Amino acid sequence: MKWHKELYLGESIRPKARKVRWKVIHGAGQLHVYVLALASNQRNLLDIIPSRELLQKHYPKKRLYIVGLAGNYEEALELAGYIVSEVYKKTGGFNVRDYFRQQGKQVI
Protein backbone atom coordinates (compact mmCIF):
# COMPACT_ATOMS: atom_id res chain seq x y z
CA MET A 1 0.00 0.00 0.00
CA LYS A 2 1.43 3.34 -1.06
CA TRP A 3 0.07 6.77 -0.20
CA HIS A 4 0.03 9.93 -2.30
CA LYS A 5 2.11 12.61 -0.60
CA GLU A 6 -0.63 15.26 -0.80
CA LEU A 7 -3.64 13.17 0.14
CA TYR A 8 -7.10 14.39 -0.92
CA LEU A 9 -9.39 14.52 2.10
CA GLY A 10 -13.13 14.77 2.54
CA GLU A 11 -14.42 17.48 4.88
CA SER A 12 -15.36 15.04 7.65
CA ILE A 13 -11.91 13.40 7.56
CA ARG A 14 -9.80 16.59 7.65
CA PRO A 15 -9.69 17.08 11.44
CA LYS A 16 -8.74 13.46 12.09
CA ALA A 17 -6.78 12.58 8.95
CA ARG A 18 -3.61 11.37 10.67
CA LYS A 19 -5.53 9.07 12.99
CA VAL A 20 -7.67 7.66 10.16
CA ARG A 21 -4.62 7.06 7.98
CA TRP A 22 -2.84 5.30 10.87
CA LYS A 23 -5.87 3.06 11.40
CA VAL A 24 -6.04 2.14 7.71
CA ILE A 25 -2.33 1.29 7.65
CA HIS A 26 -2.53 -0.81 10.81
CA GLY A 27 -5.75 -2.63 9.97
CA ALA A 28 -8.00 -1.07 12.59
CA GLY A 29 -11.63 -1.38 11.55
CA GLN A 30 -13.50 1.77 10.60
CA LEU A 31 -17.08 1.49 9.47
CA HIS A 32 -17.63 4.74 7.61
CA VAL A 33 -14.27 5.48 6.03
CA TYR A 34 -13.70 5.10 2.30
CA VAL A 35 -10.34 4.92 0.58
CA LEU A 36 -9.88 6.38 -2.91
CA ALA A 37 -7.17 4.58 -4.85
CA LEU A 38 -5.96 4.52 -8.42
CA ALA A 39 -8.06 2.08 -10.38
CA SER A 40 -7.15 -1.57 -10.26
CA ASN A 41 -7.83 -1.88 -13.99
CA GLN A 42 -7.29 0.29 -17.06
CA ARG A 43 -10.99 0.95 -17.76
CA ASN A 44 -11.72 2.89 -14.55
CA LEU A 45 -10.30 6.12 -13.16
CA LEU A 46 -10.46 5.52 -9.40
CA ASP A 47 -11.56 2.80 -7.01
CA ILE A 48 -13.69 3.69 -4.00
CA ILE A 49 -13.04 1.05 -1.36
CA PRO A 50 -14.73 0.78 2.06
CA SER A 51 -11.88 0.61 4.57
CA ARG A 52 -13.47 -2.46 6.16
CA GLU A 53 -12.69 -4.40 2.94
CA LEU A 54 -9.00 -3.81 3.58
CA LEU A 55 -9.33 -5.93 6.72
CA GLN A 56 -9.88 -9.06 4.65
CA LYS A 57 -6.91 -11.38 4.80
CA HIS A 58 -6.48 -11.84 1.05
CA TYR A 59 -7.38 -8.34 -0.15
CA PRO A 60 -4.71 -7.20 -2.64
CA LYS A 61 -3.44 -4.25 -0.58
CA LYS A 62 0.14 -4.25 -1.82
CA ARG A 63 -0.70 -2.74 -5.20
CA LEU A 64 -2.96 0.01 -3.86
CA TYR A 65 -1.91 3.62 -4.44
CA ILE A 66 -4.14 5.65 -2.16
CA VAL A 67 -4.90 9.22 -3.20
CA GLY A 68 -7.79 10.13 -0.88
CA LEU A 69 -9.89 9.43 2.20
CA ALA A 70 -13.56 10.17 2.77
CA GLY A 71 -15.91 9.85 5.74
CA ASN A 72 -18.86 8.31 3.90
CA TYR A 73 -19.80 7.04 0.46
CA GLU A 74 -21.39 10.29 -0.72
CA GLU A 75 -18.31 12.22 0.33
CA ALA A 76 -16.15 9.66 -1.49
CA LEU A 77 -18.13 10.23 -4.69
CA GLU A 78 -17.74 14.01 -4.33
CA LEU A 79 -14.02 13.66 -3.68
CA ALA A 80 -13.58 11.36 -6.69
CA GLY A 81 -15.40 13.91 -8.83
CA TYR A 82 -13.15 16.67 -7.51
CA ILE A 83 -9.99 14.67 -8.27
CA VAL A 84 -11.14 13.82 -11.81
CA SER A 85 -12.16 17.44 -12.50
CA GLU A 86 -8.78 18.65 -11.23
CA VAL A 87 -7.02 16.20 -13.53
CA TYR A 88 -9.13 17.42 -16.45
CA LYS A 89 -8.46 21.10 -15.68
CA LYS A 90 -4.71 20.56 -15.48
CA THR A 91 -4.25 18.10 -18.35
CA GLY A 92 -7.28 18.39 -20.60
CA GLY A 93 -7.87 14.65 -20.27
CA PHE A 94 -9.02 12.00 -17.85
CA ASN A 95 -5.91 9.88 -17.42
CA VAL A 96 -5.70 9.98 -13.63
CA ARG A 97 -2.85 7.48 -13.42
CA ASP A 98 -0.64 9.51 -15.77
CA TYR A 99 -1.48 12.70 -13.87
CA PHE A 100 -0.07 11.26 -10.65
CA ARG A 101 2.90 9.80 -12.54
CA GLN A 102 3.70 13.25 -14.00
CA GLN A 103 3.73 14.74 -10.52
CA GLY A 104 6.87 12.73 -9.92
CA LYS A 105 5.26 10.19 -7.64
CA GLN A 106 5.98 6.57 -8.23
CA VAL A 107 2.73 4.95 -9.31
CA ILE A 108 2.16 1.27 -9.95
Side-chain angles (χ1 to χ4, degrees):
M1 191 176 333
K2 295 183 181 181
W3 294 77
H4 183 59
K5 187 175 183 178
E6 296 172 18
L7 205 59
Y8 292 88
L9 302 170
E11 289 298 319
S12 67
I13 293 291
R14 250 174 244 274
K16 53 187 176 183
R18 294 184 89 164
K19 185 176 184 177
V20 169
R21 182 178 175 190
W22 186 91
K23 286 183 173 186
V24 170
I25 291 170
H26 291 92
Q30 300 176 94
L31 288 177
H32 302 291
V33 172
Y34 287 80
V35 171
L36 282 82
L38 293 181
S40 55
N41 64 48
Q42 298 298 322
R43 298 181 119 187
N44 297 336
L45 301 175
L46 294 167
D47 287 340
I48 298 175
I49 307 163
S51 65
R52 62 186 175 269
E53 278 190 27
L54 301 177
L55 299 175
Q56 295 178 23
K57 187 176 182 179
H58 297 291
Y59 195 89
K61 292 180 273 205
K62 289 184 181 180
R63 296 194 47 90
L64 282 182
Y65 186 82
I66 299 173
V67 296
L69 293 171
N72 58 54
Y73 187 69
E74 184 176 320
E75 190 173 76
L77 291 173
E78 290 173 6
L79 192 57
Y82 175 79
I83 293 169
V84 171
S85 68
E86 185 175 293
V87 169
Y88 182 76
K89 285 178 191 174
K90 291 185 178 180
T91 66
F94 294 103
N95 196 332
V96 176
R97 188 175 301 276
D98 281 350
Y99 171 75
F100 286 104
R101 188 175 290 136
Q102 289 172 0
Q103 287 187 336
K105 311 298 185 275
Q106 193 169 12
V107 178
I108 299 167

